[in-house]
Amino acid sequence: MEEANRLSLQLRKGILPAVFIPSAAAVFLIVLSVVLFPAWAAPFFKHLNMWITQTFGWLYALSVVGFLLVALGIAFSRFGAIKLGADHETPRFSFASWVAMLFSAGMGIGLLFFSVAEPVMHYMAPPGDAVGHQALASQAMRVTFLHWGLHGWAVYAMIGLCLAYFGFRHNLPLTIRSALYPLIGDRIYGPIGHAVDVFAVLGTLFGVATSLGFGVNQVNAGLHYLFDIEVSVTIQVLLIGGITVLATASVVAGLDAGIKRLSELNLILALCLLVFVVVLGPTVLIFSSFTENLGNYLAVMVDRGLNVGAYDPDSSWVGDWTIFYWGWWISWSPFVGMFIARISRGRTMREFVLGVLFVPTLMCFFWLTAFGNTALYFIGSGAGDIVAMVSENMPVALFVMLEQLPLPGITSFLGIVLVITFFVTSSDSGSLVIDIITAGGSTKTPVWQRVFWAVAEGLVAATLLLAGGLGALQAATVATALPFTFVIILSIAGLLRGLSMEARKAKGADVAPDIIGGGVNMPWRLRLHSILAHPDSTQIRQFINDTARPALLDVMKEIQAHDNAAQAEMSGDGADLTILHEDEPEFRFAIVPISHKTPVFALSGANLEDGEGTGDKEDEKYFRAEVYLSDGGQDYDIYGYNREQIIHEVLNQYNRHLHYLSIAR
């Protein structure tokens, strides 16, 4: 525990030097190497990408399939009902806001860049043996769906689930290291935990930098299309600088003031562009293709989900596309996983997994169909030379497709604005997450640290563009994903072990016999009176101070006198008892006043002459003395119990806790 205490002291300063310094040093060395040896950088990244895809492509493919199977297994198991937080917690954000932030942070720039470019590229250079326009178009969409489907979102779901479970349910730091707690215990606060978080920082940084590189290429292509501004690395670096300033301002503003509002703006602009394409494009074909694409995707999941090019003499296509995508998803996972964990507190594991897997996947699929199939439709009808223009300059694909529809100038400008806003949300969300990791999970960090990481992301993206363009960004993404793949596998092992402990705890509660006493032995008239009572705040406070707190103090004194293996302590002004067992989970029994709206049947018996019970006081509240355990609120009331009955209730819960410890050992 000494290392945990040292970590706490560092966190009060808002920075964890053991993670921040190595991460910053690694970024500095990489940027400096590229600047000092520009001629060496491009071939190095090319060979690095080739070596990793050929040597570890199988690992990426097996991993993403495994992540998907584990995620679905948890969602449909008994663990799906577990809350990501205390049992009584409710979600902080509405479902619509949750989806908007998740979609904007997770997909943004990449989806805009590839929604037209990727289907057209697969149409031009098919990965299979399809012949003819219809077959080529169908195959192109199948492969595109594979790269943007459930496999990728499963990576995000598993990292997010690990973080939210250990961070919110077990109150560990909201960093990747916490998922390893069931495996290595307090050593997560030492060098092993620091190394895991450094890998998470680098993966996030290069994953986001890759997206920023794609984004500025597309913005530059759009500006050239609209205003004939030169397409060059210099312009792209200037764009990175300008947009990084906006991202820095957003990340300083924080989650609610900056990122949430920008995410919701992104969703509105994206929906406007989507509706425009669907209504004025080949509407019937889009909906028909969407239905067929879904069916084809289910087939291609098995057919190509584990394809790593083992039987292909030229496996470059698999490396350039499928393996790159798996690496990209993995490198983004600490960023998006932590971000969606932060915004998902209070949701059940089932709701989290199914929401993260299926809602954004279906949204992505419809977007890909609307833009990709529209572009393929124009290619088939011979309208415009889309193939030639995209093959020459892939970032211009979106604008070439929009040119075939009415008002191309307006929609292209909207596309540029959308790329920029997605750029900002990706950068500020990534900076916020890196900031939290390098602060040991603390959200109270100095402003300069947030600014530092926002600037670092832009600097890395600009440097890699200068070093070798999109190829260098691609190679850096795949490379940083390799060590983090092993981190995810270990994190999932930690999560499964933690859930196993949770199951043992539930079993301990089920098999532990109740001690005679408690509310069941209360005289029935008194018990009925307690059930029907609707006390006010003063009455509940008096009950807690006069009856509940003395009862818990009696238990505390008895524990301290007779159980050398445990320490009991009272906290707060209310009734809150904690019993500590060294190196084992603590036991907590608290009685908390919780307000509720008075039901109609209770109001109906009130004094009507005083204006009560008429519906004029719908906001009238009553209070319950509810029991809280380590897992949170238990949703039952013990108001009306006497001191002896409360003690028996504490002993019943403590007996269940000891049974859990016995099973878990």
Side-chain angles (χ1 to χ4, degrees), residues 159-176:
I159 282 293
L161 198 60
C162 291
L163 287 166
Y165 177 76
F166 289 106
F168 301 144
R169 194 159 183 85
H170 295 283
N171 298 315
L172 290 170
L174 193 63
T175 59
I176 308 298

Side-chain angles (χ1 to χ4, degrees), residues 555-624:
V555 176
M556 182 192 75
K557 292 174 183 177
E558 199 68 20
I559 288 288
Q560 291 173 338
H562 294 285
D563 190 351
N564 294 328
Q567 293 180 334
E569 57 186 33
M570 292 286 290
S571 63
D573 296 329
D576 193 337
L577 172 69
T578 301
I579 301 177
L580 305 172
H581 292 262
E582 186 176 358
D583 297 330
E584 292 187 308
E586 67 181 29
F587 168 78
R588 181 195 181 209
F589 189 100
I591 302 171
V592 181
I594 303 294
S595 65
H596 295 270
K597 185 175 180 180
T598 304
V600 174
F601 72 83
L603 288 174
S604 64
N607 188 348
L608 297 182
E609 293 180 2
D610 294 335
E612 297 180 0
T614 63
D616 295 333
K617 296 185 178 181
E618 294 182 354
D619 60 340
E620 188 171 345
K621 302 289 184 182
Y622 79 101
F623 285 76
R624 285 160 44 105

Side-chain angles (χ1 to χ4, degrees), residues 517-519 522 526 543-555 557 589 591 638-651:
M522 186 185 299
L526 182 58
F543 167 75
I544 290 176
N545 291 331
D546 296 347
T547 306
R549 184 174 175 80
L552 268 58
L553 281 170
D554 286 345
V555 176
K557 292 174 183 177
F589 189 100
I591 302 171
I638 62 170
Y639 177 71
Y641 285 27
N642 62 31
R643 184 185 300 195
E644 192 73 16
Q645 290 162 344
I646 292 174
I647 290 174
H648 279 295
E649 190 63 34
V650 174
L651 296 182

Side-chain angles (χ1 to χ4, degrees), residues 3-19:
E3 291 190 71
N5 292 333
R6 285 202 299 270
L7 180 63
S8 297
L9 290 174
Q10 292 172 333
L11 296 185
R12 292 193 188 103
K13 302 174 185 177
I15 184 173
L16 186 58
V19 176

Side-chain angles (χ1 to χ4, degrees), residues 216-239 393:
V216 294
N217 270 271
Q218 195 168 29
V219 171
N220 197 179
L223 293 174
H224 175 72
Y225 171 79
L226 287 176
F227 308 112
D228 200 30
I229 294 176
E230 176 190 6
V231 175
S232 69
V233 175
T234 302
I235 296 296
Q236 291 162 14
V237 170
L238 291 174
L239 286 171
N393 184 16

Side-chain angles (χ1 to χ4, degrees), residues 198-459:
V198 169
F199 286 137
V201 168
L202 295 178
T204 299
L205 194 69
F206 286 98
V208 173
T210 300
S211 294
L212 303 188
F214 286 130
V216 294
N217 270 271
Q218 195 168 29
V219 171
N220 197 179
L223 293 174
H224 175 72
Y225 171 79
L226 287 176
F227 308 112
D228 200 30
I229 294 176
E230 176 190 6
V231 175
S232 69
V233 175
T234 302
I235 296 296
Q236 291 162 14
V237 170
L238 291 174
L239 286 171
I240 288 176
I243 300 175
T244 298
V245 171
L246 297 177
T248 302
S250 178
V251 79
V252 169
L255 182 63
D256 288 306
I259 299 172
K260 178 184 174 183
R261 292 176 182 174
L262 275 175
S263 298
E264 291 172 345
L265 173 63
N266 285 346
L267 192 60
I268 293 171
L269 294 177
L271 287 174
C272 290
L273 189 60
L274 177 64
V275 170
F276 178 86
V277 172
V278 171
V279 172
L280 297 181
T283 307
V284 175
L285 174 66
I286 288 172
F287 285 100
S288 300
S289 300
F290 178 66
T291 304
E292 192 165 324
N293 289 343
L294 286 176
N296 291 336
Y297 169 66
L298 296 177
V300 83
M301 284 180 68
V302 178
D303 181 38
R304 284 190 167 271
L306 292 172
N307 180 22
V308 294
Y311 297 103
D312 187 351
D314 179 16
S315 59
S316 60
W317 186 93
V318 175
D320 291 342
W321 287 101
T322 305
I323 302 303
F324 161 67
Y325 267 109
W326 300 158
W328 196 12
W329 286 97
I330 291 170
S331 68
W332 262 58
S333 64
F335 153 42
V336 181
M338 184 176 294
F339 186 76
I340 62 178
R342 253 196 102 187
I343 63 176
S344 300
R345 183 165 191 155
R347 300 189 182 275
T348 65
M349 298 183 87
R350 181 174 296 113
E351 182 183 10
F352 178 91
V353 170
L354 297 182
V356 172
L357 282 182
F358 291 100
V359 173
T361 295
L362 290 174
M363 293 172 69
C364 289
F365 281 176
F366 190 74
W367 180 283
L368 290 166
T369 299
F371 286 79
N373 277 104
T374 298
L376 295 173
Y377 165 79
F378 287 130
I379 291 174
S381 63
D385 196 4
I386 296 177
V387 171
M389 296 185 72
V390 173
S391 62
E392 182 180 339
N393 184 16
M394 190 165 64
V396 82
L398 174 66
F399 307 106
V400 172
M401 187 276 289
L402 292 174
E403 189 177 3
Q404 313 305 316
L405 297 169
L407 307 174
I410 295 175
T411 55
S412 294
F413 181 76
L414 177 60
I416 293 173
V417 172
L418 194 54
V419 173
I420 292 173
T421 56
F422 272 127
F423 190 132
V424 173
T425 53
S426 295
S427 180
D428 62 12
S429 301
S431 303
L432 186 64
V433 166
I434 294 174
D435 187 44
I436 292 171
I437 297 174
T438 55
S442 173
T443 57
K444 297 179 180 179
T445 58
V447 173
W448 71 262
Q449 188 170 281
R450 302 184 209 173
V451 174
F452 175 86
W453 290 116
V455 173
E457 284 174 357
L459 186 62

